[in-house]
Amino acid sequence: MKNYLIIFVISLSFTAFTHAQKIDTEKVFGGYKYTYNNELISIGDLASIIETNTDAYKLIKKGRTNRSLSGVLGFVGGGLIGWPIGTSLGGGEVNWTLAGIGAGLIAVAIPISSSSNKKINQAVELYNASINPTSSTNFKPEFKIIANGSGFGLSMNF
């Protein structure tokens, strides 16, 4: 009985450690969402998962840098557009040059954001391709306790 328990524990730990999970990507309004083990993850969590694959990690770092730059440019551009609009609504003298500069910043931020999304998605694809091809993301073992005239036992079906 002791040998069976040892074999069971070793086989269970082996399947747990060799079973790498795939990162799923889904396009949503305004970007992408990433899930790992059926849980929504942030870009920071995504980077920490991918960190073991150096090529994918380099891509995700570039993507995160571009994403930050795009966010800053978009935020400043939106502020520069919003300021003259607020001034106009308040009845003050409007400087539409600021709105033009803001629109230009947003126009620059859009392709940078697109590039960021492409790099992050390439990193996810590279990571998913590097996962052990023999592991299956559909592996869901079922454990059952069985009893018969000989005694009790544990059954694992997959």
Side-chain angles (χ1 to χ4, degrees):
M1 181 66 178
K2 191 176 185 182
N3 291 337
Y4 290 122
L5 183 61
I6 291 171
I7 291 171
F8 173 72
V9 169
I10 290 172
S11 65
L12 186 61
S13 63
F14 177 73
T15 58
F17 288 121
T18 60
H19 183 60
Q21 292 291 319
K22 178 181 156 190
I23 299 171
D24 295 316
T25 305
E26 182 181 343
K27 185 164 178 53
V28 294
F29 180 74
Y32 291 87
K33 74 176 187 177
Y34 303 97
T35 54
Y36 183 73
N37 288 337
N38 295 325
E39 292 183 20
L40 188 63
I41 57 173
S42 68
I43 299 296
D45 293 336
L46 182 64
S48 65
I49 292 168
I50 289 179
E51 193 171 12
T52 57
N53 185 324
T54 55
D55 293 334
Y57 188 65
K58 287 177 187 176
L59 274 174
I60 203 163
K61 279 177 56 178
K62 289 179 186 175
R64 287 178 70 189
T65 302
N66 287 350
R67 183 182 175 112
S68 298
L69 177 63
S70 170
V72 169
L73 290 174
F75 180 78
V76 171
L80 289 175
I81 290 173
W83 187 269
I85 291 174
T87 303
S88 173
L89 293 174
E93 189 175 324
V94 180
N95 182 0
W96 291 109
T97 306
L98 290 178
I101 293 170
L105 287 175
I106 290 174
V108 169
I110 291 171
I112 293 173
S113 176
S114 177
S115 169
S116 166
N117 287 333
K118 285 180 186 176
K119 286 188 186 325
I120 293 171
N121 287 336
Q122 285 174 350
V124 169
E125 288 175 12
L126 190 60
Y127 172 79
N128 285 341
S130 71
I131 294 176
N132 186 357
T134 60
S135 69
S136 170
T137 57
N138 295 327
F139 178 73
K140 294 181 182 171
E142 295 178 15
F143 295 97
K144 296 179 185 175
I145 297 176
I146 55 175
N148 60 21
S150 302
F152 293 98
L154 184 64
S155 170
M156 179 173 112
N157 298 327
F158 51 93

